[in-house]
Amino acid sequence: MICLLPFDIFKTMIFEEEKYRFMFAALQEAEKALEENEIPVGAVVVKENKIIGRGYNQVEKLKDATAHAEMIALTAASNSIGNWRLNGCSVYVTLEPCIMCTGALLASRINDLYFSTFDTKSGACGSVYNLVEQGKTNHKIIVYSGIYAEESKKLLRDFFIKLKSKSKLKFTPPTA
């Protein structure tokens, strides 16, 4: 469980309070993934200051390589409003989206993307790739990062340390 001191957090706030609230909801989704032994990534889709879609990684549970948090949240949001076009929506996700998820965000017409921490192994919004800034698509997403970055990194680090100790494999987590 992530423990935050609500008043101390906002003293050094860079973003508006509502952005932290929505990213906190994404962190709660990531905790659900962690409880199910999935890579702890969570996402929420927001329209008009209301969460319309939630998702967390379920790749292992569903035996589906596409069951990333963003994909599940986008599907839930589309079902919520009855349209695949998510114009006017923002996505909050605890880890920089991969190529697949970034493509889905672009195809869904998401306006803004907020992510906690960079994925230095497969991120597609600034770290390894930068699909949203290439200007080769008919849609542009405004990207922000850093909200609850340390909390997200800790969830990921703890998960991979636990996984590594269980499997005795030599690998590093996806964030530096």
Side-chain angles (χ1 to χ4, degrees):
M1 184 63 109
I2 297 171
C3 296
L4 302 173
L5 302 173
F7 300 109
D8 292 339
I9 295 294
F10 299 116
K11 289 180 184 174
T12 59
M13 183 170 45
I14 299 172
F15 297 95
E16 297 166 348
E17 182 178 345
E18 69 191 25
K19 309 298 184 210
Y20 287 89
R21 185 168 44 92
F22 294 131
M23 188 60 78
F24 189 78
L27 279 168
Q28 290 175 317
E29 293 296 312
E31 287 179 339
K32 291 178 186 176
L34 184 64
E35 289 170 9
E36 295 182 15
N37 294 315
E38 298 274 357
I39 296 174
V41 178
V44 296
V45 180
V46 175
K47 184 174 180 112
E48 298 171 357
N49 286 324
K50 181 182 176 204
I51 295 174
I52 61 168
R54 296 174 183 270
Y56 61 92
N57 273 358
Q58 297 180 53
V59 172
E60 299 299 331
K61 177 182 178 181
L62 300 176
K63 311 281 187 269
D64 180 356
T66 67
H68 290 198
E70 301 94 322
M71 303 296 278
I72 292 169
L74 289 173
T75 300
S78 293
N79 288 334
S80 173
I81 65 169
N83 195 336
W84 63 267
R85 290 178 191 87
L86 298 174
N87 297 322
C89 293
S90 299
V91 171
Y92 294 78
V93 62
T94 59
L95 182 65
E96 177 186 6
C98 67
I99 292 171
M100 173 184 68
C101 293
T102 302
L105 294 169
L106 286 163
S108 298
R109 312 294 197 268
I110 293 297
N111 284 17
D112 302 298
L113 167 65
Y114 297 86
F115 67 86
S116 292
T117 189
F118 285 93
D119 182 344
T120 58
K121 296 211 181 252
S122 60
C125 296
S127 60
V128 179
Y129 307 99
N130 199 346
L131 299 180
V132 294
E133 292 294 324
Q134 287 181 340
K136 295 182 179 184
T137 61
N138 64 347
H139 183 69
K140 176 90 169 140
I141 298 172
I142 301 169
V143 179
Y144 305 90
S145 65
I147 302 174
Y148 290 142
E150 292 307 312
E151 291 80 359
S152 181
K153 285 180 191 177
K154 181 174 179 2
L155 279 176
L156 289 161
R157 191 178 315 114
D158 292 350
F159 172 81
F160 282 104
I161 287 170
K162 181 180 173 186
L163 185 65
K164 186 175 179 179
S165 71
K166 279 184 178 178
S167 67
K168 305 292 185 212
L169 295 176
K170 294 185 178 183
F171 62 88
T172 55
T175 59

